[in-house]
Amino acid sequence: MDNNCVLMWEIMGPGLAGAVFGAGWWFWVDAVVCSSVKVSFLHYLPGIFASLAALMFNCVKKEDIGYDYYSPYGDSEWRIKLWLFIAYVVSFVSLAGAVGLLVQDALTDKGPSTWTGVAGIFQCVFVLISGLMYWTSHSED
């Protein structure tokens, strides 16, 4: 990759990631505000867990994942990989939960509208994409 592209991504990436994160939560807030019925707390959980997962995998430095990583304090590489695995499991479970709530909302008339379920999926996808964008673009300097 061109050095200018990498530099531009390091400059613009975190701001763009924040905008995508905000857009994800904007979809959710729009759906809750426009809903004709009260949205239960259960519908909030996929977005909350997606945000938590994005925070979890942004706690890991990119340099710590390499196979040539050596620490005199013991084998910490497997802990880092386990942490990332748990973060990705949380992210995929939050996305699956959002899809499940969409199906539930589409099949029943008692809950929120289908738009609330679609917005929950958009929220999870945008939040997780923004977390990955930030992780790839921020520098440790």
Side-chain angles (χ1 to χ4, degrees):
M1 199 172 197
D2 190 328
N3 199 20
N4 282 339
C5 290
V6 172
L7 182 61
M8 194 60 116
W9 180 242
E10 287 179 357
I11 293 170
M12 301 295 286
L16 189 60
V20 171
F21 183 87
W25 275 97
W26 177 83
F27 277 115
W28 179 246
V29 169
D30 177 66
V32 170
V33 169
C34 295
S35 178
S36 60
V37 297
K38 185 180 183 309
V39 178
S40 69
F41 182 71
L42 180 67
H43 284 76
Y44 287 82
L45 290 178
I48 292 170
F49 280 108
S51 299
L52 178 68
L55 178 69
M56 285 173 69
F57 58 74
N58 272 295
C59 289
V60 175
K61 294 180 184 178
K62 290 180 273 191
E63 298 86 33
D64 292 347
I65 299 174
Y67 290 105
D68 56 349
Y69 180 76
Y70 171 74
S71 173
Y73 302 109
D75 282 337
S76 63
E77 184 178 354
W78 69 270
R79 291 184 187 126
I80 293 169
K81 290 182 179 179
L82 178 64
W83 179 260
L84 284 175
F85 176 74
I86 292 169
Y88 283 111
V89 167
V90 170
S91 66
F92 289 126
V93 167
S94 69
L95 189 58
V99 170
L101 288 171
L102 168 65
V103 171
Q104 176 188 353
D105 293 343
L107 295 177
T108 62
D109 292 333
K110 292 183 178 182
S113 68
T114 305
W115 166 240
T116 306
V118 171
I121 291 174
F122 283 166
Q123 176 194 25
C124 287
V125 168
F126 278 44
V127 165
L128 294 172
I129 287 173
S130 74
L132 288 174
M133 287 171 63
Y134 184 76
W135 188 75
T136 59
S137 66
H138 80 284
S139 61
E140 310 296 331
D141 299 340

